[in-house]
Amino acid sequence: MKRIVIATLALVAAAGAYAQYSGSYTFGGSTTVAPIAYAAIERFQKENPGLKISYEAVGSGGGLKALLAGQISLSGSSADFSADQLKGAVATPIALDGLSVIVNKKGTGIKNISMEDLARIYHGDVTNWKQLGGANAPIVVVNRDESSGTYAAFWELVCQKPFGKAIAYTKNAIVTKENGEVAVKVLATPGAIGYVGMAFAQEVIKAGGLELSIDKVMPTTANVVAKKYPISRYLYIVTKSQPVEGTVEKAFIDYILSPMGQAIVKSADYIPLPKK
Amino acid sequence: MRRRKILEGAVEATLFAAALLSVVTVVFITAFLFQRGSPLFEKVPVLEFLFSSRWEPTAENPGYGILSFILGSFLVTGLALLIAVPAGLAVGIYLAELSDGRSARFIRSAVELLAGIPSVVYGLFGIAVISAVSRTLFGGSGYGALSAAMILAIMTLPTIISVTEVSLRAIPRELKEGSLALGATHWQTITRVLVPAARSGILAGVILGMGRAIGETMAVLMVGGNAPIMPSGLNGMVRTLTMNIITDMSYATGDHLTSLFATGMVLFAFILVLNLVVQLALKKSISDLEGKSGE
């Protein structure tokens, strides 16, 4: 009996997956979710040739506003909206976004840093490791370029609380284009500090770098999932109501949650959802 | 006979078309660059673009000032030439005048090899070696104007060396012989007669190297630090025009993207001026030689 139920379920799921969708849809929202959305939309459209979806990267707040106003039918969000803000809309987690702080072992002399000190480094208020109880050496700040999503995410998660919403990183920082370049610069420069996507930090550790714990919490997937590690957040897809079976929105969410979709999440440098 | 004429005509037409192709390409690139870049100046005054150093293209109130990048380009290129010109001249003179055949062949092939190394490899070398050297010698983080200049100096050396050598060799024999016959030593002949006679050619080589340095992207990107600030000294971080374009290109949209094309226009103008100077210098060098040999 059980087997039949499973087989039936599998069939239904398969039928669902192969159902063809068509029409024009507008999604929108978070710029952080955009790389996932763009890649998923591209694949999803290939499987459904009659379908046209656009994703407007207007930010999480703008996306929710447009969703509630009925201008779009699905929005991406990197903000953890409260029930009040959602006004009945439903947020489905689709991925995790976590950043690791890495330093060069030479010329730093610390293994843990508080969120506050980290923010002060990137705001330019602390310029020597001695001020944080480390080595007497200048801090070489490695940042990402202005248009990177990680650049905005790091400000939002680390610096926004003490220094406000408008990004005001210290300008006296090495600007790099990719996670890989951050790693290379940090590994080659004594006293250097940088941040990379969590998935990338393992490469840095293998190459001799050091991953800092933040307020004594190590950046592990488990700590991120338990919401203990502070430089992390969930990414969501928000729909106006509980997604309804048979709609494009539901199929799209299912697609992102499928192994295929989670692979897209990973290749966009985010953390796939933990397997339950 | 007639057939041969037709064939010749066809070959000529083909070659002409090929020659025309490069002209057409240049025209298209120029037109495209200006078509995409100039709309920026409807929103940002040209003077503000060139003389403001506030580069915050994604801020609420965006700033598109590239002065610090222009100065960065000049600083890095100038420093590079300061290192490369004396060294390049020395090697060029050695190759043309002082070396025996074997060592010259050896050095020449090493220089040619240097010219063939991809710039990204220079960049890797820069991260691994030059930034560390610069950090030890001059302090700072090791990513800055000086490191970028050292890399560019190495990269421009081959151009300067070979043009110097060729210019020296192109000097009519009588000049050298005359100087020696008047009792000048070999060294006096080199410094007082040969180098001055070849100066226009050497200058052209230096400017060609300068063109290469100002247009170089990858290698300086890897060691320059790339901070969008005014260069604060020799070991301060620097962002050049080329670095600015490549850093923002992948994500930029709207006015930000247009501003990158406009940055390209500025770079294009610099290169154009350099090229004109090279052509003038070469023309002068040729007329100098003709004038002298005709005397």
Side-chain angles (χ1 to χ4, degrees), chain B residues 63-277:
Chain B
Y64 301 102
I66 60 167
L67 181 65
S68 45
F69 313 144
I70 295 178
L71 293 181
S73 278
F74 282 143
L75 174 67
V76 166
T77 307
L79 280 175
L81 290 181
L82 220 56
I83 306 170
V85 169
L89 269 180
V91 179
I93 291 170
Y94 176 78
L95 286 178
E97 283 299 317
L98 303 168
S99 63
D100 58 56
R102 247 174 90 192
S103 71
R105 264 200 304 281
F106 180 69
I107 293 174
R108 215 170 283 130
S109 46
V111 170
E112 272 159 23
L113 204 62
L114 206 59
I117 295 173
S119 65
V120 67
V121 175
Y122 276 107
L124 288 174
F125 175 71
I127 289 183
V129 181
I130 291 188
S131 71
V133 168
S134 152
R135 181 161 56 236
T136 326
L137 291 180
F138 305 102
S141 68
Y143 296 98
L146 209 56
S147 303
M150 285 194 235
I151 295 251
L152 285 182
I154 302 175
M155 293 179 79
T156 48
L157 264 182
T159 314
I160 297 178
I161 292 173
S162 27
V163 178
T164 304
E165 190 195 348
V166 169
S167 313
L168 286 173
R169 284 188 189 282
I171 296 170
R173 245 185 116 71
E174 305 89 69
L175 234 66
K176 185 179 171 187
E177 283 166 356
S179 168
L180 291 173
L182 285 170
T185 61
H186 193 182
W187 182 243
Q188 283 171 328
T189 307
I190 290 170
T191 53
R192 309 270 173 83
V193 178
L194 297 184
V195 172
R199 66 179 184 275
S200 301
I202 293 173
L203 183 69
V206 170
I207 296 167
L208 269 178
M210 195 168 163
R212 163 136 209 217
I214 213 168
E216 175 51 42
T217 312
M218 207 56 220
V220 287
L221 181 70
M222 291 167 85
V223 297
N226 205 8
I229 48 174
M230 270 295 175
S232 63
L234 295 187
N235 58 15
M237 279 183 277
V238 71
R239 180 186 283 195
T240 64
L241 292 166
T242 52
M243 284 156 87
N244 189 46
I245 297 176
I246 202 170
T247 302
D248 289 10
M249 202 64 205
S250 51
Y251 296 86
T253 53
D255 289 346
H256 186 188
L257 188 63
T258 312
S259 75
L260 297 183
F261 280 100
T263 310
M265 281 162 58
V266 173
L267 195 60
F268 186 84
F270 286 152
I271 301 275
L272 201 69
V273 169
L274 286 181
N275 264 326
L276 285 177
V277 176

Side-chain angles (χ1 to χ4, degrees), chain A residues 7 83 111 164 169 174 185 217 235 240 269:
Chain A
K111 289 188 169 157
Y169 283 123
I174 297 176
K185 294 273 154 77
V217 181
L235 303 180
K240 208 165 177 188
D269 282 334

